[in-house]
Amino acid sequence: MKSSSEAEFVKQLQENQNIIHKICRLYTSDEDAHNDLFQEITIQLWKAYPNFRGDSKFTTWAYRVGLNTAITLYRKKKKTLDTIEFQSSYHLIKQEDYNFEEEEQLKLLYSAISELNDIEKALVFLYLEDKDYAEISETLGISEVNARVKMNRVKGKLKKILNP
């Protein structure tokens, strides 16, 4: 890799590392697992960067690589790796800036999301990140229509889970 593209990769990664942290929070349950997954996603992004053509935004490409890496590792370790509990990231939130009613709602939402399959989790994650269906479909490698249909089904599943 040329030093200019290496510098560009480092710059892009620093500017967009929250994407990786969000994916890690979604697919891990403790700080060590989070750090391991963050490192693995970063390695996969580094390996894949020479093939990044710029056809899509760096963030879309990073979501795709990150989610694919997380899902692959999650499936390999599924028996020993639990999905994240909201409390495990509580230390990252300043109490004075946080609404306890909202916290309870988020706990319920994360609990409901933990019951979804890997692809559904990724779909909800991107939807909650305010990604449009075009970017969601590109990131997940499915058609835009399929993304909309799956999202409607997931919304129904979440409603049933949250309102039994």
Side-chain angles (χ1 to χ4, degrees), residues 1-12 46 49-50:
M1 187 177 288
K2 296 178 184 174
S3 62
S4 63
S5 62
E6 183 177 324
E8 181 61 28
F9 173 78
V10 171
K11 178 181 177 246
Q12 287 283 1
W46 173 253
Y49 191 70

Side-chain angles (χ1 to χ4, degrees), residues 2 7 11 14 20 25 27-28 43 53 64 79-81 85 96 101 103-104 108 124 129 135 147:
K2 296 178 184 174
K11 178 181 177 246
Q14 285 175 337
I20 301 168
R25 276 194 289 274
Y27 286 95
T28 62
I43 290 168
R53 299 181 308 255
R64 187 173 197 152
K79 292 179 183 172
T80 60
L81 182 67
E85 294 280 331
E96 64 271 11
E101 185 177 312
E103 176 185 349
E104 288 303 314
L108 290 172
V124 169
E129 287 292 305
E135 191 167 350

Side-chain angles (χ1 to χ4, degrees), residues 41-93:
I41 291 172
T42 302
I43 290 168
Q44 294 306 318
L45 286 168
W46 173 253
K47 286 180 178 178
Y49 191 70
N51 298 325
F52 176 59
R53 299 181 308 255
D55 295 343
S56 62
K57 293 188 285 187
F58 179 86
T59 54
T60 301
W61 173 78
Y63 274 125
R64 187 173 197 152
V65 172
L67 287 169
N68 285 338
T69 302
I71 289 169
T72 299
L73 291 176
Y74 179 79
R75 286 180 177 164
K76 285 180 183 176
K77 297 178 182 180
K78 194 169 188 175
K79 292 179 183 172
T80 60
L81 182 67
D82 295 323
T83 55
I84 187 168
E85 294 280 331
F86 181 75
Q87 291 87 357
S88 63
S89 22
Y90 183 74
H91 66 282
L92 300 174
I93 301 169

Side-chain angles (χ1 to χ4, degrees), residues 111 128 141 159:
S111 176
L128 292 175
K159 282 180 186 175

Side-chain angles (χ1 to χ4, degrees), residues 107-121:
K107 282 182 184 179
L108 290 172
L109 180 61
Y110 273 88
S111 176
I113 290 171
S114 73
E115 295 183 33
L116 302 174
N117 69 40
D118 297 339
I119 300 300
E120 292 170 338
K121 284 180 189 178

Side-chain angles (χ1 to χ4, degrees), residues 119 123 133 136-137 140-154:
I119 300 300
L123 185 64
Y133 284 108
I136 290 172
S137 67
L140 297 179
I142 58 177
S143 72
E144 194 171 332
V145 172
N146 195 356
R148 288 178 189 277
V149 170
K150 284 182 180 286
M151 192 63 224
N152 282 331
R153 289 180 183 157
V154 169

